[in-house]
Amino acid sequence: MVKFSIRFVCIVWLSLFTMSAFAKDRIETYSVFTVNCSGPKQVQILSDANVILMGEDVLIGENQVAVRFGEELSVAAIPLPSKFLRIYRTSISEGVSDGGPNYRTEWLNLDQINAEWETLRATYPWLVSRKSIGTSHEGRTIWAYRVFRPELRDVLTPPKSVLILGNTHAREWMSPSVVLHLGIKLTELLATTDDLLTDQLVDSVGTYFVPVMNPDGYFRSWNGERFWRKNRRNNGGGVFGVDLNRNYEKAWGGAGSSGTTSSDTYRGPSPASEPELQAVRNYALTLRNLIAFVDYHSYAGDILYPWSYTTAPAPPAAVTMFQSVGAPIRSAIIAAGGPTYTLGQGSVVLYLAAGSSKDWFYDRFNVPSYTIEIFGTQFDPPATTITPTQDHSWAGFKAFLDAAIP
């Protein structure tokens, strides 16, 4: 169990004083702990706890969790072995929206992301279109963009569709940053070049992007709590949020999710209860002949395919499909100078996670469906990592399209 000391408190306060004495940005300070889970029962205990998970899932073994400074006793209350690790400081530059940030070198807030997509649509109106697919708990619009060059046939609706999802988890800022870059690069490719991939896209495929599935959570991450993960459902008693990647109907309520409203993995009151998820699900059901799906997350460096709700493998033909599309993504990233991603079944590479997007999309459409955990080492990486991450993600995305298109 966690034990606190006068020395620990003095170190924390000295760190806080040093950080705040010269800071110009909004500062958030957290205490980070390791918590050990020896088996599935302990994993569920930690999944239900009111702490910030510093990874995508709770794992058997060592996990890192965080709490805001002053809330350390909530870790001590967890009946699992835990140990103080470090003080973690994160900052958000105030006023960053002024001056037109460069999305290749700076993090963009919600308004800036929307503005970049709108600039793309205004620049290439014959290639990019926009649709409102729903609204969030707090009334923010969830937008979907279609990138398609309608030159040969079926101008209004392409015969095949690919769906790309960004920012399911609010704190994962690299996700909408990468998805924006993919949309821009794909549009520029269709506008300026003719090659085999472009011809296939012209003939047969519309690529649909939902840049920010979780606008309320993303806004909260920028304006209240940097490591906010969930949406902003009001659960009552001052508790907010559902983990949108535990709310899909497929295997809803199973292992790796929590029924505790304060948990980071709270699955919601019922399957597909959340308006953000309903927007994406209902929109996907309108798309003509969906052939592939990717949900971009961060951080880990993984290309994950179904199943996540069970360690049992998908049918052999499905595993072959997942591997045949996933392996080129991995190879292309490496060839572009990027890191080595792990390709494999989600529940095996990480741990059980019921109610996830990739499981639902594969189960519903029988198509290659992935969670791509963009490579990194933290949820708030330095801005210097944005450009190289976007570049190797684009290489992987091109390979994904080439492999997924029949």
Side-chain angles (χ1 to χ4, degrees), residues 17-317:
F17 175 79
T18 303
M19 289 185 282
S20 62
F22 306 102
K24 296 181 181 179
D25 298 339
R26 176 165 66 81
I27 304 298
E28 295 179 7
T29 304
Y30 298 83
S31 296
V32 181
F33 298 80
T34 59
V35 180
N36 192 274
C37 297
S38 58
K41 181 178 179 180
Q42 290 71 32
V43 166
Q44 194 61 53
I45 290 172
L46 185 55
S47 295
D48 292 337
N50 183 18
V51 293
I52 300 166
L53 300 179
M54 298 303 283
E56 175 68 17
D57 301 318
V58 180
L59 310 176
I60 293 177
E62 187 174 273
N63 297 269
Q64 289 191 17
V65 304
V67 291
R68 287 192 177 226
F69 177 72
E71 299 177 0
E72 290 79 11
L73 289 177
S74 62
V75 180
I78 303 171
L80 296 172
S82 51
K83 179 182 178 181
F84 172 73
L85 186 62
R86 67 185 185 277
I87 297 297
Y88 192 95
R89 170 184 179 263
T90 185
S91 65
I92 300 175
S93 299
E94 302 291 355
V96 72
S97 58
D98 297 330
N102 182 347
Y103 87 95
R104 296 275 279 160
T105 58
E106 299 175 66
W107 303 113
L108 273 58
N109 64 30
L110 182 62
D111 289 340
Q112 292 165 336
I113 289 174
N114 290 337
E116 288 287 340
W117 279 95
E118 281 301 277
T119 297
L120 183 67
R121 185 166 72 104
T123 305
Y124 301 97
W126 65 97
L127 293 176
V128 182
S129 59
R130 182 181 75 165
K131 181 180 178 64
S132 169
I133 63 172
T135 55
S136 65
H137 273 289
E138 295 179 345
R140 293 182 174 88
T141 301
I142 301 166
W143 297 107
Y145 287 83
R146 184 186 77 170
V147 177
F148 177 55
R149 191 166 73 176
E151 292 183 352
L152 298 183
R153 56 187 165 91
D154 207 357
V155 172
L156 295 180
T157 307
K160 299 185 183 70
S161 305
V162 172
L163 181 60
I164 307 300
L165 198 59
N167 199 240
T168 297
H169 289 149
R171 64 193 180 185
E172 298 169 10
W173 292 6
M174 190 63 84
S175 167
S177 178
V178 162
V179 169
L180 172 62
H181 186 64
L182 302 184
I184 290 173
K185 292 294 288 182
L186 179 60
T187 302
E188 292 174 348
L189 177 70
L190 295 181
T192 60
T193 65
D194 287 293
D195 56 23
L196 178 60
L197 174 61
T198 308
D199 291 341
Q200 289 176 313
L201 290 169
V202 168
D203 282 348
S204 61
V205 177
T207 306
Y208 297 81
F209 296 89
V210 179
V212 181
M213 177 189 183
N214 185 7
D216 296 348
Y218 193 68
F219 183 85
R220 175 71 179 179
S221 181
W222 269 88
N223 298 279
E225 188 173 343
R226 174 62 185 87
F227 293 128
W228 187 259
R229 169 181 169 113
K230 303 183 286 183
N231 72 355
R232 293 293 293 173
R233 166 185 279 273
N234 188 342
N235 297 319
V239 176
F240 290 83
V242 168
D243 183 346
L244 294 173
N245 208 33
R246 302 295 185 274
N247 189 236
Y248 286 86
E249 295 103 314
K250 180 62 178 177
W252 180 87
S257 68
S258 175
T260 302
T261 58
S262 59
S263 167
D264 255 4
T265 59
Y266 175 50
R267 55 184 170 252
S270 60
S273 60
E274 302 311 291
E276 298 89 351
L277 187 147
Q278 293 168 16
V280 169
R281 180 199 60 186
N282 295 342
Y283 183 58
L285 292 171
T286 70
L287 299 181
R288 185 173 175 183
N289 192 15
L290 186 70
I291 61 170
F293 167 80
V294 178
D295 187 358
Y296 278 92
H297 288 244
S298 68
Y299 63 95
D302 297 324
I303 303 166
L304 306 175
Y305 55 74
W307 300 111
S308 277
Y309 82 93
T310 176
T311 56

